[in-house]
């Protein structure tokens, strides 16, 4: 076990092959580090507000990050260059998730879930409140989200919503 001696870590994602990790810091930057050496390889900059989540695509090619200003950014992990990014959320981004085949990126901001197709750059928004992480089913055909609604006595009711992908 290696200790990350990095102050101000806000979020973390590990490459599927465990070769490196992406670390979102309090200074709004993301550091891509090799796990065996822990030396900075690439620093991704450009967010204009604090980071909320980072994730690496299952194919290890794309890094996605979401911030408090609702912005989602995508980067090519090999070149370090920015990619076309999905439309911003109206509220702070909470969580991000890639589909198992790395074709889709899902994000949510407690009010809306956005699904972005990396191939054709199309996105669509699904309006419902979700309170937890987003997960794609292993076959990549659905996005699972925990939804909440207020009950008459002020209780929260939770349900699992499965959203079919196009």
């Amino acid at each position: 076990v290696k200790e990350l001696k990095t102050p101000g870590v806000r979020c973390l994602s590990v490459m599927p092959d465990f070769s490196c990790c992406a670390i979102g810091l309090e200074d709004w930057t993301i550091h891509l580090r090799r796990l065996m050496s822990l030396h900075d390889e690439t620093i991704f900059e450009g967010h204009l507000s604090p980071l909320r989540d980072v994730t690496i695509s299952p194919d290890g090619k794309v890094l996605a990050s979401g911030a408090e200003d609702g912005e989602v950014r995508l980067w090519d992990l090999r070149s370090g260059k920015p990619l076309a990014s999905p439309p911003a959320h109206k509220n702070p981004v909470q969580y991000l998730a890639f589909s198992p085949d790395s074709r889709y990126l899902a994000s949510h901001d407690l009010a809306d879930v956005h699904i972005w197709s990396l191939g054709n750059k199309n996105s669509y928004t699904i309006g419902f409140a979700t309170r937890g992480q987003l997960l794609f089913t292993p076959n990549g055909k659905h996005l699972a989200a925990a939804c909440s609604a207020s009950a008459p006595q002020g209780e929260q009711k939770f349900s699992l919503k499965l959203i079919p992908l196009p």
Side-chain angles (χ1 to χ4, degrees):
V1 174
K2 294 256 185 188
E3 182 178 335
L4 294 173
K5 294 182 181 181
T6 304
V9 173
R10 292 184 57 100
C11 43
L12 172 79
S13 181
V14 178
M15 184 80 79
D17 67 2
F18 296 99
S19 63
C20 60
C21 62
I23 306 165
L25 300 177
E26 284 182 348
D27 67 359
W28 310 350
T29 63
I30 302 158
H31 294 239
L32 187 67
R33 294 186 174 173
R34 287 203 178 279
L35 287 177
M36 296 314 291
S37 69
L38 293 183
H39 294 294
D40 284 347
E41 296 235 326
T42 308
I43 298 174
F44 299 90
E45 298 178 297
H47 276 288
L48 303 175
S49 70
L51 295 167
R52 297 299 289 264
D53 197 17
V54 295
T55 190
I56 297 172
S57 63
D59 64 9
K61 294 179 181 178
V62 178
L63 169 68
S65 57
E68 288 186 9
D69 63 1
E71 184 178 35
V72 175
R73 288 188 174 236
L74 299 175
W75 284 278
D76 181 301
L77 279 176
R78 290 193 175 98
S79 70
K81 297 192 184 295
L83 299 170
S85 292
H89 285 265
K90 295 176 187 159
N91 300 302
V93 173
Q94 300 298 312
Y95 292 107
L96 302 165
F98 279 102
S99 62
D101 61 6
S102 302
R103 290 178 45 211
Y104 296 98
L105 174 70
S107 57
H108 80 79
D109 67 2
L110 298 181
D112 293 314
V113 173
H114 293 201
I115 299 175
W116 168 260
S117 170
L118 276 69
N120 62 19
K121 311 294 189 266
N122 287 337
S123 69
Y124 60 97
T125 302
I126 302 160
F128 65 85
T130 182
R131 295 285 180 221
Q133 289 185 309
L134 300 169
L135 297 169
F136 283 89
T137 56
N139 65 9
K141 293 184 178 182
H142 293 84
L143 176 67
C147 304
S148 66
S150 294
Q153 288 79 23
E155 299 171 356
Q156 290 289 315
K157 291 188 175 191
F158 291 92
S159 62
L160 180 66
K161 214 173 228 187
L162 286 176
I163 304 154
L165 295 178

